[in-house]
Amino acid sequence: MSGIPGTAVVQVTNLSSAVSSEQMRTLFGFLGDIDELRLYPPDNAPLSFSSKVCYIKYRDPSSVGVAQHLTNTVFIDRALIVVPCAEGECKHTKMKCLSSLSGLAMASSP
């Protein structure tokens, strides 16, 4: 059971800065069909960050409970944290993430 009834989305945090969207799709794709995957900052981000966050939307909400079993799995060099995420909550968090990224990009511009 996922903790948020009916949600098909998980948030994966504590990701290595070296992780790519393709690696996340491969790892989490074994657990169910992925409808959408978003990695922040994206693979082509011009700045380097110490960690990343990923949102994965599955076609079947039952995959969320299975994905949570990857919590504390060491992937690259960090233990993953996988939690269910309501879609509206993810959009809000994504906007905060994107606004902080654009703020950093503006602050580092000459």
Side-chain angles (χ1 to χ4, degrees):
M1 182 119 194
S2 69
I4 299 178
T7 188
V9 180
V10 291
Q11 177 189 50
V12 186
T13 57
N14 199 37
L15 291 169
S16 170
S17 60
V19 76
S20 70
S21 297
E22 188 60 35
Q23 290 170 320
M24 295 301 293
R25 188 171 296 279
T26 299
L27 178 65
F28 283 87
F30 286 112
L31 308 175
D33 292 330
I34 295 175
D35 207 22
E36 186 177 359
L37 184 143
R38 302 251 176 140
L39 181 65
Y40 298 101
D43 295 332
N44 57 357
L47 301 173
S48 63
F49 294 87
S50 60
S51 74
K52 294 184 177 185
V53 63
C54 185
Y55 294 96
I56 301 165
K57 182 177 181 180
Y58 286 101
R59 288 197 184 119
D60 182 2
S62 67
S63 297
V64 169
V66 178
Q68 286 183 269
H69 288 286
L70 286 181
T71 294
N72 289 327
T73 299
V74 176
F75 187 62
I76 301 181
D77 62 352
R78 298 190 182 185
L80 302 178
I81 301 169
V82 184
V83 295
C85 180
E87 283 190 64
E89 180 183 331
C90 293
K91 289 177 185 172
H92 178 69
T93 304
K94 180 176 102 176
M95 292 308 293
K96 284 181 12 186
C97 180
L98 290 175
S99 66
S100 67
L101 285 175
S102 64
L104 285 173
M106 284 190 272
S108 65
S109 314

